[in-house]
Amino acid sequence: MKKGLLFLFFIFSLCISCADNHFRQFDILPEDQRWLASDKKTYEFEIENETQPYNITFQFSHVYGYQFASIPLNVSIENPDGTNEEIAIDLKIADDSGKQLADCSGDVCDLFYKIKEKTKLQKGRYKITISHNFKGPYLPNVIGVGLKVENVK
């Protein structure tokens, strides 16, 4: 029994040490699956280790067979020193042949877009705001959106 518990503790410790996610938040949208134009998503996190690189990844979950080939996004990054960085993204949902770019399981598709890749982040508090520029009051068939900040090894 003790050996079994010790083995489970070892596996648990190994899994925790391998985890490289620094921050992760996913916001599930209401049942009508509409991302309102007025609903800017804000994510706040703290960076302690400024010596290692990070990936900042946006997650867009949508219904299979999404009707748009791309979505215009605005990303605003407020750095710890108070400076702001504005990034315009044309999030591709499908390639030129119409093939979905997301990983789909049943009717749910998850698309991951790296906003920043292997970048050094200064120590301190970050605030990232993401909104869409879709023409209309809402973007339809969106299950949820999120942000992941992970350490790069």
Side-chain angles (χ1 to χ4, degrees), residues 50-92:
E50 61 186 3
T51 62
Q52 64 187 67
Y54 294 87
N55 288 341
I56 300 174
T57 306
F58 174 68
Q59 180 180 353
F60 182 77
S61 295
H62 61 85
V63 174
Y64 180 78
Y66 203 67
Q67 64 266 47
F68 306 111
S70 66
I71 299 164
L73 298 176
N74 293 319
V75 177
S76 175
I77 302 174
E78 184 179 318
N79 296 302
D81 63 6
T83 60
N84 281 321
E85 181 179 0
E86 302 293 329
I87 304 170
I89 296 170
D90 186 30
L91 183 66
K92 300 285 184 206

Side-chain angles (χ1 to χ4, degrees), residues 2-120:
K2 283 186 179 181
K3 285 183 181 179
L5 288 176
L6 186 60
F7 178 73
L8 287 175
F9 177 75
F10 172 76
I11 296 296
F12 178 74
S13 298
L14 185 62
C15 289
I16 288 177
S17 66
C18 292
D20 57 1
N21 284 345
H22 181 76
F23 170 85
R24 184 179 176 108
Q25 181 178 330
F26 184 77
D27 299 317
I28 298 173
L29 296 178
E31 288 182 24
D32 61 5
Q33 298 175 335
R34 295 177 177 182
W35 185 9
L36 299 176
S38 61
D39 186 14
K40 295 180 179 183
K41 298 298 181 186
T42 300
Y43 306 95
E44 296 186 47
F45 58 93
E46 190 88 22
I47 294 294
E48 294 292 330
N49 184 350
E50 61 186 3
T51 62
Q52 64 187 67
Y54 294 87
N55 288 341
I56 300 174
T57 306
F58 174 68
Q59 180 180 353
F60 182 77
S61 295
H62 61 85
V63 174
Y64 180 78
Y66 203 67
Q67 64 266 47
F68 306 111
S70 66
I71 299 164
L73 298 176
N74 293 319
V75 177
S76 175
I77 302 174
E78 184 179 318
N79 296 302
D81 63 6
T83 60
N84 281 321
E85 181 179 0
E86 302 293 329
I87 304 170
I89 296 170
D90 186 30
L91 183 66
K92 300 285 184 206
I93 305 298
D95 65 15
D96 292 337
S97 69
K99 180 183 175 217
Q100 298 278 312
L101 296 174
D103 295 325
C104 298
S105 177
D107 289 339
V108 178
C109 297
D110 293 313
L111 182 63
F112 298 92
Y113 180 87
K114 286 188 179 158
I115 297 169
K116 295 237 178 212
E117 190 170 6
K118 297 180 182 173
T119 189
K120 297 274 179 116

